[in-house]
């Protein structure tokens, strides 16, 4: 027997839609209220059942600056993923590209967590045009409980900001596995060897973007807003921000760019303001990160230059960086929406804090 959402299910047996009401959202009367690393412990303890268990995996997803821009409405046979608009990056993210990518990451984690509860999640993006804040509805179809191939990676996926082994190249089989994670016809992956001319150009543009973000007030304030959101209300004064910013620039040059063996760009084809593309790009990033973790790799976002492109083009103008982001190639209507680095690190990355389920599950 397999237990899904508190209901015993015989392996190999499929249930009718009427049975969905019995599976339910788990007990949400007393949601876990501890944040920080506690949500990671909750997930690893296999606590919760049904939609509640799915949500407990979704909140461990990646998000821009760890802003966690999501809320969840749990039902007996679905989850609504809702945009928490106050957790955006302001001028650093004028198209809400990173905001909706974060929501896409949570949606993907939910889809990974669902099969263990006997659910196959059917995703409907922006079902009402996002007018009511609903980024996606995940409708659950009953299926025999099983583990998704990426499920074990949810607990081990953390952003690794430390040095990577620059001289250890990533095997072709792994790069091919990353490419297979792209399933949308309008979202794809471009992998870049850090030692090639394109890799050197990517590093140079990243450093240029970093300096620009720190020099332009609206960009810098957007970054600071993300840091505040991640710090869960902790007071950070101007002197502290100056130290944080100085360290960020130094680490970007000496560690992030200097030690990476490979970079990646997630590319989209379509309007830069299309939130569906943003969500699909976020889902791809989450899949890549989970796949990488399973294969012993470390990954970190590198969006500095793309954030500057968004800032420069929000009014319809041209970007001083965008013209150089083709890295010597011809992209034929595709453009970069998200950058990252990937490689082998000497040790694990720490878990980042999370808002508790009691703060993100709404009625």
């Amino acid at each position: 027997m397999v237990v899904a959402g508190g209901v015993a299910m015989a392996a190999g047996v499929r249930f009718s839609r009427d049975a969905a009401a019995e599976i339910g959202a788990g007990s949400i009367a007393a949601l876990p209220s501890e944040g920080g690393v506690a949500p990671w412990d909750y997930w690893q303890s296999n606590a919760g059942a049904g939609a509640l268990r799915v949500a407990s995996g979704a909140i461990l997803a990646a998000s821009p600056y760890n802003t966690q821009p999501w809320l969840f409405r749990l039902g007996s046979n679905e989850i609504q993923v809702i945009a928490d608009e106050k957790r955006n990056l302001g001028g650093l993210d004028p198209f809400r590209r990173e905001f909706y990518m974060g929501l896409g990451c949570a949606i993907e984690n939910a889809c990974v967590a669902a099969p263990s509860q006997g659910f196959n999640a059917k995703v409907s993006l922006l079902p009402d045009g996002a007018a009511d804040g609903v980024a996606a509805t995940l409708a659950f179809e009953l299926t025999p409980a099983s583990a998704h191939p990426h499920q074990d990676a949810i607990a081990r996926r953390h952003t690794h900001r430390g040095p990577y082994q620059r001289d250890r190249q990533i095997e072709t089989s792994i790069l091919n596995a990353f490419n297979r994670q792209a399933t949308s016809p309008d979202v794809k992956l471009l992998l870049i060897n850090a030692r090639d001319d394109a890799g050197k150009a990517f590093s140079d543009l990243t450093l240029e973007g970093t300096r620009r973000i720190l020099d332009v007030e609206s960009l810098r304030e957007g970054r600071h807003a993300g840091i505040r959101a991640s710090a869960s209300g902790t007071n950070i004064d101007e002197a502290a921000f100056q130290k944080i910013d100085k360290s960020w620039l130094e680490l970007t040059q000496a560690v992030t760019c200097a030690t990476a063996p490979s970079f990646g760009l997630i590319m989209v084809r379509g309007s830069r303001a299309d939130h569906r593309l943003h969500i699909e790009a976020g889902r791809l990033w989450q899949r890549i990160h989970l796949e990488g973790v399973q294969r012993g790799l470390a990954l970190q976002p590198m969006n500095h230059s793309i954030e500057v492109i968004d800032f420069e083009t929000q009014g319809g103008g041209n970007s001083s960086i965008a013209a150089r982001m083709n890295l010597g190639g011809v992209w034929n209507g595709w453009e970069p929406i998200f950058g990252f680095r990937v490689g082998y690190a000497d040790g694990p990355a720490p878990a980042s804090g999370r808002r508790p389920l009691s703060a993100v599950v709404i009625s």
Side-chain angles (χ1 to χ4, degrees):
M1 301 293 285
V2 190
V3 175
V7 177
M9 300 171 60
V13 176
R14 292 183 178 272
F15 287 80
S16 68
R17 170 59 62 188
D18 292 340
E22 298 179 34
I23 291 181
S27 176
I28 61 174
L31 288 168
S33 58
E34 289 188 59
V37 298
W40 296 95
D41 296 335
Y42 183 83
W43 168 259
Q44 289 181 279
S45 72
N46 291 316
L52 180 59
R53 175 68 178 164
V54 174
S56 74
I59 66 172
L60 303 184
S63 65
Y65 291 80
N66 196 30
T67 47
Q68 306 164 57
W70 46 65
L71 299 168
F72 303 93
R73 184 176 291 121
L74 310 186
S76 62
N77 58 2
E78 71 174 24
I79 288 180
Q80 288 184 327
V81 182
I82 299 167
D84 190 351
E85 291 289 349
K86 65 181 179 294
R87 302 182 73 83
N88 68 72
L89 298 174
L92 192 64
D93 189 24
F95 296 108
R96 297 296 184 262
R97 171 184 54 80
E98 292 189 68
F99 180 87
Y100 276 92
M101 282 192 69
L103 292 169
C105 290
I107 290 165
E108 185 61 29
N109 253 24
C111 290
V112 171
S116 70
Q117 301 303 297
F119 297 150
N120 178 36
K122 294 291 186 180
V123 180
S124 176
L125 298 182
L126 305 175
D128 297 310
D132 58 357
V134 178
T137 297
L138 281 62
F140 295 144
E141 296 180 348
L142 293 169
T143 187
S146 62
H148 188 284
H150 285 154
Q151 177 168 310
D152 289 344
I154 288 178
R156 296 182 287 119
R157 187 218 60 80
H158 308 302
T159 297
H160 202 304
R161 297 175 175 84
Y164 296 174
Q165 299 172 24
R166 180 174 172 81
D167 294 330
R168 185 178 176 185
Q169 295 301 306
I170 300 169
E171 296 86 342
T172 300
S173 61
I174 296 178
L175 298 179
N176 290 339
F178 284 158
N179 278 311
R180 287 195 297 271
Q181 304 308 310
T183 58
S184 168
D186 296 315
V187 182
K188 70 177 182 179
L189 175 64
L190 176 65
L191 292 164
I192 306 162
N193 187 320
R195 293 188 173 183
D196 290 348
D197 288 344
K200 294 174 182 176
F202 182 92
S203 291
D204 290 344
L205 291 171
T206 297
L207 286 169
E208 181 179 335
T210 305
R211 295 188 179 98
R212 185 78 180 280
I213 289 169
L214 296 179
D215 288 343
V216 176
E217 183 177 3
S218 62
L219 294 174
R220 186 174 63 250
E221 285 304 310
R223 168 177 153 77
H224 291 176
I227 294 171
R228 289 190 187 95
S230 177
S232 300
T234 302
N235 183 42
I236 305 174
D237 61 22
E238 184 59 31
F241 270 126
Q242 289 179 3
K243 292 180 180 178
I244 291 170
D245 291 345
K246 182 175 183 293
S247 176
W248 182 51
L249 177 59
E250 292 172 349
L251 287 173
T252 298
Q253 183 168 14
V255 176
T256 310
C257 290
T259 72
S262 296
F263 301 119
L265 284 171
I266 292 177
M267 314 285 289
V268 298
R269 179 173 55 187
S271 169
R272 198 168 189 82
D274 187 342
H275 293 327
R276 285 183 176 84
L277 285 179
H278 304 158
I279 292 172
E280 290 290 2
R283 295 189 67 183
L284 175 56
W285 167 237
Q286 190 70 16
R287 287 195 295 272
I288 291 169
H289 207 163
L290 293 172
E291 181 73 20
V293 165
Q294 284 190 321
R295 295 173 179 270
L297 286 158
L299 295 95
Q300 179 187 6
M302 293 179 67
N303 285 322
H304 318 56
S305 55
I306 299 172
E307 288 165 343
V308 173
I309 292 174
D310 284 349
F311 169 75
E312 291 182 330
T313 59
Q314 61 183 308
N318 295 320
S319 167
S320 62
I321 286 182
R324 291 170 283 150
M325 273 297 288
N326 65 359
L327 308 177
V330 178
W331 286 353
N332 295 323
W334 292 83
E335 62 176 317
I337 194 174
F338 183 85
F340 64 94
R341 67 173 181 145
V342 55
Y344 293 94
D346 290 327
S352 55
R354 285 294 184 274
R355 294 198 285 168
L357 281 165
S358 61
V360 298
V361 173
I362 63 175
S363 59

